Amino acid sequence: MTRLHEEPIEGTEVHACQVLVVGCGNLLRGDDGVGPVLVRHLWEHGVPDGARIVDGGTAGMEVAFRMRGARRVVLVDAARTGATPGTIYRVPGPAVADLPPLGGLHTHSFRWDHALAFAHWLLKDAYPDDVTVFLIEAERVDPGAELSLAVRQAMEKVIVLIEDDFLAGLRPPGSERPRVEFTEDGYLRLGADLAARRFPGDAAVAVRRDGELWLIPLRGPQGGGLLLKQRTPEGDRCVLVREVLDDRFPVGTHPAIWDDTNGALRVPLQAERWSP
């Protein structure tokens, strides 16, 4: 079940869980909001039992309280190191032991590193043994800006890493993140659950964009677009996409990501298994 909101923090409560994922940053400042945007995508994918997905915003002290009772913790935040925008840093727990002092900090600048330092002090022996930080190099942090393309693409990669390394083991069999199949005759096949949830009108627009195939649902065939035809009695659907991809597509099964912001199913086009 997708959890759209988290209950208010109470500092004395213990929120026991196997995995805690926290996105830090400011949604109103472009790439600085990559952490909160990422957790919204994870919410959309569905939160398995034993996991907690939290929008930490810029409230680092609340993040520290959230860590109480968590066995594994994952924090995601933007970075400004001068590296190429979209660069991903994966920092394991032992590497974040040397953290900046807490003195003189203000709430608006309280970030992932300060949250961990505060959590060390607050939780002491109850501090989680397994902490991982993902940092994504920002391109622009202007007020009101959207995520840059480089940061959005990096965010999608981090989502896959978090799903594969931290969340997949908590999901029951058959509930993994969406996967689609490119068939040799140029169709894209969707499982029954995915088709029913995202494409109830059995129609879609297919667009090739930034190295991905985007499938955007329509309300029904009367609006034009491509028809999703029933392929199996179980309700699997298929849609012809070969013309959109100029008869070149990666035959086989591939992971997909539902992009809630753009209302589209996005499928990376990896060229290692192109059709003839």
Side-chain angles (χ1 to χ4, degrees):
M1 178 181 297
T2 301
R3 301 172 187 170
L4 297 180
H5 301 284
E6 290 286 342
E7 68 276 7
I9 280 289
E10 295 294 339
T12 59
E13 293 182 0
V14 176
H15 300 280
C17 63
Q18 293 296 306
V19 177
L20 170 69
V21 181
V22 182
C24 302
N26 189 337
L27 274 172
L28 302 179
R29 297 191 66 89
D31 292 338
D32 189 53
V34 65
V37 172
L38 180 143
V39 300
R40 281 159 173 76
H41 283 280
L42 292 180
W43 281 332
E44 186 63 34
H45 293 170
V47 182
D49 290 340
R52 295 174 64 82
I53 312 297
V54 175
D55 178 354
T58 56
M61 290 187 180
E62 291 191 0
V63 171
F65 285 115
R66 290 281 189 188
M67 293 172 63
R68 186 194 302 270
R71 189 175 71 83
R72 307 176 73 191
V73 175
V74 180
L75 286 92
V76 182
D77 203 349
R80 294 298 299 274
T81 68
T84 302
T87 299
I88 298 170
Y89 305 92
R90 181 170 181 164
V91 188
V96 298
D98 296 328
L99 297 171
L102 289 174
L105 292 176
H106 300 285
T107 302
H108 69 273
S109 63
F110 203 96
R111 303 300 296 239
W112 68 271
D113 45 359
H114 307 129
L116 291 183
F118 181 63
H120 266 294
W121 173 83
L122 174 72
L123 304 179
K124 299 180 174 61
D125 292 341
Y127 183 81
D129 294 329
D130 188 339
V131 178
T132 299
V133 178
F134 289 98
L135 301 176
I136 300 175
E137 186 72 18
E139 180 176 344
R140 57 175 182 260
V141 293
D142 303 327
E146 298 182 353
L147 292 185
S148 64
L149 175 60
V151 168
R152 182 172 293 277
Q153 291 177 336
M155 178 189 71
E156 302 290 4
K157 295 177 182 178
V158 173
I159 288 174
V160 172
L161 290 172
I162 292 174
E163 177 64 37
D164 291 347
D165 295 351
F166 298 92
L167 300 180
L170 300 178
R171 298 189 185 279
S175 63
E176 62 274 0
R177 59 191 298 267
R179 299 186 72 84
V180 297
E181 178 188 1
F182 287 98
T183 65
E184 292 185 358
D185 53 353
Y187 282 86
L188 183 70
R189 180 175 178 174
L190 311 179
D193 290 344
L194 176 60
R197 184 178 182 189
R198 299 300 185 190
F199 300 90
D202 289 334
V205 173
V207 180
R208 186 170 183 171
R209 182 178 299 174
D210 299 324
E212 298 176 327
L213 175 68
W214 287 29
L215 199 64
I216 305 170
L218 297 175
R219 294 191 176 185
Q222 65 273 14
L226 304 172
L227 295 180
L228 275 69
K229 302 177 182 179
Q230 186 163 344
R231 188 174 184 118
T232 68
E234 292 75 22
D236 290 358
R237 296 290 197 271
C238 64
V239 57
L240 187 63
V241 296
R242 66 180 310 151
E243 293 184 1
V244 176
L245 300 177
D246 298 324
D247 291 329
R248 290 178 59 79
F249 42 88
V251 175
T253 302
H254 299 270
I257 295 173
W258 176 257
D259 183 340
D260 188 55
T261 301
N262 293 289
L265 183 70
R266 297 170 53 183
V267 187
L269 297 173
Q270 300 167 339
E272 66 268 17
R273 297 179 63 190
W274 291 114
S275 62

